[in-house]
Amino acid sequence: MRLCFPLLLCLAAALTSAYVISPPHMWTKLILTHHWPTTFCKMEKCHVNISYWTLHGLWPDKGIDCNSSWHFNSSEIEDLLPDMTKSWPDLLKPLSPEFWKYEWHKHGTCAAKAPSLDSQHKYFSKALELYHKVDLDSILKKFDIIPSEKYYKLSQVEGVIENFYGIKPKIQCIHPSKNADFQTLGQIEICFDRDFTLMDCEKQFTMETIFKGEWDNLIAADKASGFNVCDHDMPVYYPPLSENA
Ligand SMILES: *[C@@H]1O[C@H](CO)[C@@H](O)[C@H](O)[C@H]1NC(C)=O
Ligand SMILES: *[C@@H]1O[C@H](CO)[C@@H](O)[C@H](O)[C@H]1NC(C)=O
Ligand SMILES: *[C@@H]1O[C@H](CO)[C@@H](O)[C@H](O)[C@H]1NC(C)=O
């Protein structure tokens, strides 16, 4: 963050930029969140046989549950269902649309404040489009970041992503239980601006964020998910599918 002084000028600058760039309440960043099924299922005690990064969600940086009367309706995305099932599977209930319904209500109805995403079909198809465009799973493989019993340094994983996409991701891990000396790779976020151009995920601190308490929401959301931002000083375990998956 730029240093500025005195404090009042900083406040003014932050407020101005927040309001000039976008109307209040409108999101300015979309977070495409991928999770690693093996790690997710270690945490949630489920069973999967999927060894590629799947979609967790497409999250605007502002708002949660923006329109509770806009019900999820899977007939509106019928043409997308084969891809949804493969790319955005419900790891807990593989045959259920519950996960998509949850994501639509929590995040989709907020994303839908932008005309570019103002229908269920637009929202889900854009998420799939971005997921395939990013193609994170292939890029990691291509640069030799593969599930393995050996550990990586966080900087290796981060380096591949930063070099290839030219932006900073947010990489999340499950932190070790007592006495373990590694963290487990779980989630990778890639961020886009309102025009769907890649951007750094790093949080931009604006006074608007702080006044509205959204910063707390973001931190709370991280904690609730069971993930933390990965630690730079601890080995990273990228778990392969276990034999008895
Ligand atoms: C897991 O999937 C692979 C190929 O996708 C298949 O060959 C294997 O039999 C599956 N294993 C189980 C336990 O379902
Ligand atoms: C909420 O969604 C319903 C159903 O799509 C729509 O009719 C209504 O205008 C929306 N409300 C707001 C505040 O966007
Ligand atoms: C769900 O969407 C379909 C297709 O757009 C529509 O025909 C149907 O009425 C909708 N169902 C509900 C409960 O809104």
Side-chain angles (χ1 to χ4, degrees), residues 10-46:
C10 304
L11 267 168
L15 283 169
T16 311
S17 63
Y19 281 98
V20 166
I21 291 168
S22 67
H25 311 303
M26 176 52 89
W27 53 266
T28 54
K29 177 167 74 178
L30 281 175
I31 304 163
L32 185 74
T33 305
H34 305 74
H35 54 193
W36 181 243
T38 309
T39 302
F40 177 87
C41 277
K42 217 167 259 191
M43 216 159 57
E44 299 292 331
K45 316 251 181 287
C46 42

Side-chain angles (χ1 to χ4, degrees), residues 66-71 104 109 113 120:
C66 293
N67 185 346
S68 57
S69 57
W70 198 345
H71 301 298
W104 166 253
T109 54
K113 289 184 173 185
Q120 294 182 43

Side-chain angles (χ1 to χ4, degrees), residues 42-61:
K42 217 167 259 191
M43 216 159 57
E44 299 292 331
K45 316 251 181 287
C46 42
H47 295 280
V48 275
N49 187 17
I50 298 176
S51 57
Y52 53 89
W53 287 83
T54 60
L55 259 175
H56 182 172
L58 181 66
W59 305 337
D61 63 346

Side-chain angles (χ1 to χ4, degrees), residues 143-158:
F143 293 97
D144 294 324
I145 306 291
I146 48 175
S148 161
E149 294 299 341
K150 79 179 169 75
Y151 299 152
Y152 292 93
K153 288 184 186 153
L154 180 59
S155 59
Q156 291 176 282
V157 183
E158 212 170 40

Side-chain angles (χ1 to χ4, degrees), residues 56-233:
H56 182 172
L58 181 66
W59 305 337
D61 63 346
K62 257 175 229 166
I64 294 280
D65 293 324
C66 293
N67 185 346
S68 57
S69 57
W70 198 345
H71 301 298
F72 175 75
N73 178 350
S74 60
S75 341
E76 295 198 5
I77 56 166
E78 208 154 320
D79 59 318
L80 305 175
L81 292 179
D83 194 7
M84 294 285 292
T85 306
K86 181 163 193 292
S87 306
W88 201 338
D90 185 333
L91 300 171
L92 293 172
K93 298 181 183 165
L95 298 175
S96 150
E98 222 166 279
F99 184 35
W100 307 327
K101 180 178 170 181
Y102 175 85
E103 290 290 317
W104 166 253
H105 282 285
K106 186 165 177 190
H107 302 289
T109 54
C110 301
K113 289 184 173 185
S116 53
L117 297 178
D118 64 0
S119 74
Q120 294 182 43
H121 196 273
K122 285 186 194 174
Y123 174 70
F124 287 104
S125 62
K126 182 55 81 174
L128 291 170
E129 178 196 320
L130 296 174
Y131 169 81
H132 291 300
K133 208 180 263 178
V134 165
D135 199 10
L136 178 66
D137 196 71
S138 308
I139 298 310
L140 291 176
K141 276 198 192 104
K142 181 171 169 183
F143 293 97
D144 294 324
I145 306 291
I146 48 175
S148 161
E149 294 299 341
K150 79 179 169 75
Y151 299 152
Y152 292 93
K153 288 184 186 153
L154 180 59
S155 59
Q156 291 176 282
V157 183
E158 212 170 40
V160 162
I161 295 174
E162 292 188 13
N163 288 336
F164 187 81
Y165 300 104
I167 47 93
K168 289 190 200 321
K170 181 163 137 190
I171 305 180
Q172 293 170 302
C173 290
I174 305 181
H175 277 197
S177 46
K178 248 194 215 157
N179 301 327
D181 52 1
F182 62 87
Q183 54 190 337
T184 306
L185 184 60
Q187 206 152 257
I188 297 182
E189 298 182 353
I190 302 283
C191 298
F192 297 86
D193 67 15
R194 288 199 55 195
D195 298 323
F196 310 112
T197 304
L198 287 164
M199 67 181 279
D200 289 343
C201 283
E202 220 166 51
K203 183 64 197 168
Q204 293 148 4
F205 291 88
T206 65
M207 288 303 134
E208 190 192 21
T209 314
I210 293 164
F211 285 149
K212 294 216 176 117
E214 303 211 357
W215 180 234
D216 287 343
N217 286 348
L218 287 172
I219 290 179
D222 264 1
K223 289 217 170 106
S225 75
F227 291 115
N228 286 293
V229 173
C230 305
D231 193 321
H232 270 101
D233 300 323

